[in-house]
Amino acid sequence: MASTLQANGHENAYIFPAHRIVHRMRDESKTPVVLVACGSFSPVTYLHLRMFEMARDYIKQQTQFEVVGGYLSPVNDQYKKPGLLSATHRVNMCTLATELTSNWLMVDPWEGFQPKYQPTAVVLDHFDHEVNEVLGGIETRSGERKRARIMLLAGSDLINTMSEPGVWSPTDLDRILGRYGTFIIERAGSDVDQAMESLAPWRDNIFLVRQTIQNDVSSTKVRLFLKRGMSVRYLLPNPVVDYIEANGLYLDDGPNAGAAGPTYVTTSASSQEQEASGSLSQMAS
């Protein structure tokens, strides 16, 4: 199903990115799962990407799920978070990071280019529709098709906000944690156990993934480094660092913080790496 997305004042045909979805399961006794991380990604860091790898390891070793896809969904500009670049820049950086450094992660620009901010529950509904209704779910070796479980991937700070009264709509919470569920990556300084007590009704749908190697890299720290003229190499994928430098991003809190930037990078199943590399070269010129 194609629709249109708005970027830089121009309409772009939208096609749900599915070029890395596993269309046939290896073990049909399991439940297919698609991991979705919603966030600012301003900029995307190695920790954002590492979260997917940690969750996939946990799923393989401790659950009856089988990962068939992973998505980054950059938040809409109307989120109005400090340091939030335009969706165009953030989608571009996420696309470069996934297409050039991963063989299974994808970026869905739908949320970022909607006319207004979309609640997380609505974003998960969007993925559920695209994967299970439009694509028809995931095929098993016997030819049967199974509905994929769409699940939110997030850091433990999210669970803390979910446990605070009045921060999240009760209806949205029940949809996110009741219908879909979440994998939570442990982060230093977050009291997950206390938060989990407040979310007891959905305990069976919340999976906590412990960090065995601590990583506290954050987009906030990266932006501070860049503003001070310090190097951020090896904190972010190199293509993202190159993109930031080529476009003069995060130098201050002024126009660069919300500049529209170049047309967003698109990818296809047959030539995603070449297109992403070509787009980066064009943007740098």
Side-chain angles (χ1 to χ4, degrees), residues 232-254:
V232 294
R233 288 199 181 271
Y234 309 113
L235 299 178
L236 322 177
N238 273 341
V240 176
V241 178
D242 292 340
Y243 181 93
I244 289 170
E245 292 178 350
N247 288 279
L249 306 180
Y250 302 112
L251 299 180
D252 53 44
D253 296 324

Side-chain angles (χ1 to χ4, degrees), residues 78-217:
Q78 296 305 311
Y79 188 56
K80 300 294 185 183
K81 183 178 180 180
L84 189 69
L85 282 182
S86 69
T88 300
H89 278 312
R90 291 181 289 110
V91 168
N92 280 343
M93 288 188 286
C94 287
T95 300
L96 291 169
T98 55
E99 297 296 336
L100 299 182
T101 71
S102 173
N103 61 6
W104 68 284
L105 297 179
M106 294 163 281
V107 179
D108 185 3
W110 182 86
E111 179 185 359
F113 292 136
Q114 290 303 295
K116 61 181 182 179
Y117 170 74
Q118 300 296 315
T120 302
V122 172
V123 176
L124 296 180
D125 287 344
H126 158 74
F127 278 95
D128 188 44
H129 172 75
E130 292 290 347
V131 174
N132 290 313
E133 304 302 329
V134 178
L135 296 180
I138 307 299
E139 187 178 355
T140 66
R141 291 186 178 276
S142 61
E144 174 194 359
R145 299 196 76 84
K146 284 190 173 185
R147 286 188 69 87
R149 180 88 174 265
I150 309 299
M151 299 188 72
L152 182 67
L153 175 64
S156 53
D157 50 340
L158 179 76
I159 279 292
N160 288 329
T161 67
M162 285 181 166
S163 67
E164 294 177 17
V167 176
W168 288 74
S169 155
T171 303
D172 282 2
L173 264 187
D174 189 57
R175 193 158 187 81
I176 295 166
L177 299 179
R179 174 172 179 172
Y180 296 112
T182 182
F183 286 94
I184 297 296
I185 306 296
E186 177 189 42
R187 282 186 179 173
S190 293
D191 189 352
V192 180
D193 294 332
Q194 183 176 350
M196 288 287 285
E197 291 180 11
S198 303
L199 302 171
W202 304 286
R203 185 181 297 274
D204 290 344
N205 279 343
I206 301 173
F207 298 84
L208 179 62
V209 182
R210 302 287 184 183
Q211 279 205 65
T212 53
I213 299 177
Q214 293 299 319
N215 183 340
D216 68 347
V217 173

Side-chain angles (χ1 to χ4, degrees), residues 43-91:
V44 60
T45 71
Y46 273 128
L47 179 54
H48 292 131
L49 304 177
R50 180 67 188 154
M51 284 170 58
F52 282 93
E53 298 293 334
M54 287 188 284
R56 188 165 67 161
D57 283 344
Y58 176 91
I59 289 168
K60 186 186 303 182
Q61 296 166 7
Q62 301 193 44
T63 75
Q64 284 301 304
F65 295 119
E66 181 178 315
V67 177
V68 294
Y71 288 91
L72 283 75
S73 181
V75 74
N76 190 274
D77 288 347
Q78 296 305 311
Y79 188 56
K80 300 294 185 183
K81 183 178 180 180
L84 189 69
L85 282 182
S86 69
T88 300
H89 278 312
R90 291 181 289 110
V91 168

